[in-house]
Amino acid sequence: MCNFSGRDDFFLRRCVLVHGPVIIGAGPSGLAVGACLREQGVPFVVVEKSDCIASLWQKRTYDRLKLHLPKQFCQLPNLPFPEDFPEYPTKKQFISYLETYANRFGIKPQFNECVQSARYDEACRSWRVKTVSTSGCCRTEVEYICQWLVVATGENAECVKPEIDGLKEFKGEVLHACEYKSGEKFAGKRVLVVGCGNSGMEVSLDLSNHNAKPSMVVRNSTHVLPREVFGKSTFEFAMLMMKWLPLWLVDKILLILAWFILGNTEKWGLKRPSVGPLELKNTQGKTPVLDVGALQKIRSGEIKVVPGIKRFSSGAVELVNGEKIEIDSVVLATGYRSNVPYWLQESEFFSENGFPKAPFPNGWKGKAGLYAVGFTRKGLSGASFDAKRIAQDIGNVYKTDLNQKKRKVSGHRRCISQF
């Protein structure tokens, strides 16, 4: 690693040559790649814009969050969850697991470095990654030069805040689900939750549990499934069936079981899509809602389901059906998106929406040493699957190059010893 620096007052610029890959993002995906590279003996640098690992989990999730899938489907490569952890670990337990993971494999990210651009330099056949850090008393710009670039910023790098007519006129509190922690401060308040995915459902449930009065906006159709069937997680049961049955039939069985366990959700304003839950996940990336108690609250009327929004006013919202509801606060459970298009100067591997163009399982490797992890829409298990392949692929090239260099050095020594 070589450094060239120049300083003018509070400005610092450095150039760093990395003898392995640069991994952008220190979330679970980036940590998984780092651990697998460590097993391969490949050096690497992890760049993270926040001041901690897994910043999405540590800073942008609500307190009651648990893993939606059993822990065996969420563990990262080469380190299972502790045996005393419950089947669905809490947010704090998962963060503890990730911190242990990073320490176990000696992963020490470069924190507070925000990537400004990454481009492939054809002339030197290397990637150039420029970052900016404003921590401390000075602004620091760093350019990393490397043979491989691993994009691990994931599907949820930035929150989506839609433009809704009149929202700026609303006088109450407006926050995104990433800013929501607990319903405690909303006790007694009328809260509109915009969105009915897993986040929207859980925020509504949490608000209700803290004696708030939530109304949940359901604009589109959505699949709601029980978290468990026959004592097994729905996900585990589905994966088991898919070993023997086609996807369309598994979808049919899941919907029949959901109807028996949950009843007809359309009665409460939750219309199901025409496409099955697994097919919808595979084709459009839309995750079905795994019910953890919100549906019971909807049945009892403690969570009110309302249709789409027409416009906001200073203290109310008008719905598309003409109904007006007075509200005190708004929580936007409107999802997240990739931020890759903002900084990666490449258009062949990644599409405009920030996801690899090739679907899983082929979206992990591009050209010229470019890789992607955490974009499979298959959660932590998909990220772990890709992390192993990326590390193996880079490791093979790295070891081949290293052996060639050793042979050259050995050859030079033999020549020198003859004279």
Side-chain angles (χ1 to χ4, degrees):
M1 183 179 291
C2 61
N3 295 281
F4 306 94
S5 63
R7 182 166 182 167
D8 181 15
D9 295 329
F10 296 100
F11 180 79
L12 182 67
R13 180 182 290 123
R14 294 187 299 136
C15 178
V16 179
L17 178 62
V18 181
H19 296 294
V22 168
I23 303 168
I24 301 178
S29 298
L31 297 179
V33 174
C36 292
L37 286 169
R38 187 72 74 203
E39 294 288 291
Q40 293 281 332
V42 179
F44 59 87
V45 170
V46 180
V47 176
E48 168 57 45
K49 68 178 180 180
S50 188
D51 60 356
C52 61
I53 64 167
S55 61
L56 174 64
W57 281 86
Q58 298 214 48
K59 298 186 175 185
R60 293 184 287 159
T61 51
Y62 39 91
D63 294 340
R64 65 160 282 124
L65 181 63
K66 294 182 179 181
L67 293 178
H68 289 124
L69 302 180
K71 61 184 180 182
Q72 66 265 32
F73 297 106
C74 300
Q75 63 190 28
L76 301 184
N78 305 318
L79 185 66
F81 280 95
E83 289 185 6
D84 61 343
F85 273 27
E87 186 173 15
Y88 299 95
T90 65
K91 166 185 171 177
K92 288 184 179 180
Q93 288 172 326
F94 185 56
I95 292 170
S96 172
Y97 166 77
L98 293 177
E99 289 174 339
T100 299
Y101 192 85
N103 291 331
R104 174 71 61 87
F105 296 101
I107 303 170
K108 299 178 180 179
Q110 301 296 310
F111 291 120
N112 299 305
E113 290 196 23
C114 183
V115 176
Q116 301 296 295
S117 67
R119 67 179 180 87
Y120 186 71
D121 188 332
E122 293 283 356
C124 65
R125 300 172 74 177
S126 298
W127 286 93
R128 293 182 176 270
V129 182
K130 293 184 178 180
T131 71
V132 171
S133 172
T134 53
S135 62
C137 61
C138 64
R139 172 188 170 94
T140 304
E141 290 187 2
V142 181
E143 182 177 44
Y144 296 95
I145 300 175
C146 55
Q147 184 176 347
W148 302 283
L149 177 65
V150 181
V151 179
T153 47
E155 306 166 10
N156 303 316
E158 292 187 352
C159 62
V160 175
K161 294 184 177 180
E163 294 286 334
I164 305 176
D165 191 19
L167 185 57
K168 292 181 180 179
E169 301 170 18
F170 180 66
K171 302 300 183 183
E173 183 180 12
V174 179
L175 67 159
H176 191 272
C178 70
E179 302 165 295
Y180 178 93
K181 296 301 178 185
S182 167
E184 187 175 359
K185 72 172 185 176
F186 296 98
K189 292 185 177 181
R190 300 159 298 185
V191 185
L192 186 73
V193 179
V194 183
C196 61
N198 279 296
S199 293
M201 286 279 194
E202 284 213 48
V203 167
S204 297
L205 175 61
D206 190 58
L207 286 165
S208 179
N209 288 341
H210 284 91
N211 299 314
K213 300 172 183 177
S215 296
M216 184 175 64
V217 175
V218 180
R219 189 180 61 174
N220 301 314
S221 57
T222 186
H223 279 299
V224 181
L225 303 175
R227 186 170 71 169
E228 295 183 343
V229 292
F230 304 130
K232 287 185 175 291
S233 80
T234 301
F235 178 79
E236 184 179 3
F237 184 65
M239 294 303 100
L240 182 64
M241 287 194 295
M242 285 186 65
K243 292 181 178 180
W244 314 102
L245 304 174
L247 184 142
W248 68 267
L249 185 54
V250 175
D251 267 342
K252 289 279 188 184
I253 294 171
L254 288 178
L255 291 176
I256 291 171
L257 290 171
W259 188 87
F260 274 112
I261 297 170
L262 303 177
N264 182 6
T265 58
E266 292 192 27
K267 284 183 182 179
W268 305 291
L270 301 170
K271 185 179 180 181
R272 290 196 181 278
S274 57
V275 178
L278 296 182
E279 184 180 351
L280 196 65
K281 175 68 173 173
N282 286 346
T283 57
Q284 299 181 34
K286 293 184 178 180
T287 304
V289 173
L290 296 176
D291 180 54
V292 292
L295 202 57
Q296 181 57 43
K297 296 277 189 176
I298 292 171
R299 288 195 198 102
S300 67
E302 295 171 80
I303 297 174
K304 184 179 179 181
V305 173
V306 299
I309 298 167
K310 185 176 181 180
R311 63 167 287 111
F312 283 93
S313 58
S314 61
V317 61
E318 182 180 355
L319 306 173
V320 292
N321 63 358
E323 182 183 1
K324 289 186 178 179
I325 304 175
E326 292 185 352
I327 53 174
D328 302 303
S329 304
V330 176
V331 179
L332 300 171
T334 45
Y336 299 85
R337 65 186 167 208
S338 165
N339 67 2
V340 173
Y342 299 116
W343 53 266
L344 182 61
Q345 298 173 18
E346 187 274 346
S347 59
E348 187 175 338
F349 182 50
F350 279 91
S351 59
E352 292 182 359
N353 68 357
F355 281 75
K357 292 179 180 179
F360 182 83
N362 302 312
W364 62 283
K365 182 180 180 180
K367 294 181 178 179
L370 177 62
Y371 298 89
V373 61
F375 295 90
T376 63
R377 294 190 172 100
K378 293 186 179 295
L380 294 167
S381 60
S384 295
F385 183 77
D386 280 351
K388 293 175 184 177
R389 293 198 291 177
I390 290 169
Q392 184 69 49
D393 198 60
I394 292 174
N396 289 340
V397 178
Y398 179 83
K399 291 171 185 176
T400 299
D401 290 349
L402 195 63
N403 288 333
Q404 289 177 347
K405 289 177 183 178
K406 287 180 178 179
R407 282 197 292 270
K408 286 181 180 179
V409 171
S410 177
H412 288 314
R413 287 175 178 168
R414 285 196 296 271
C415 292
I416 293 170
S417 64
Q418 291 174 6
F419 293 91

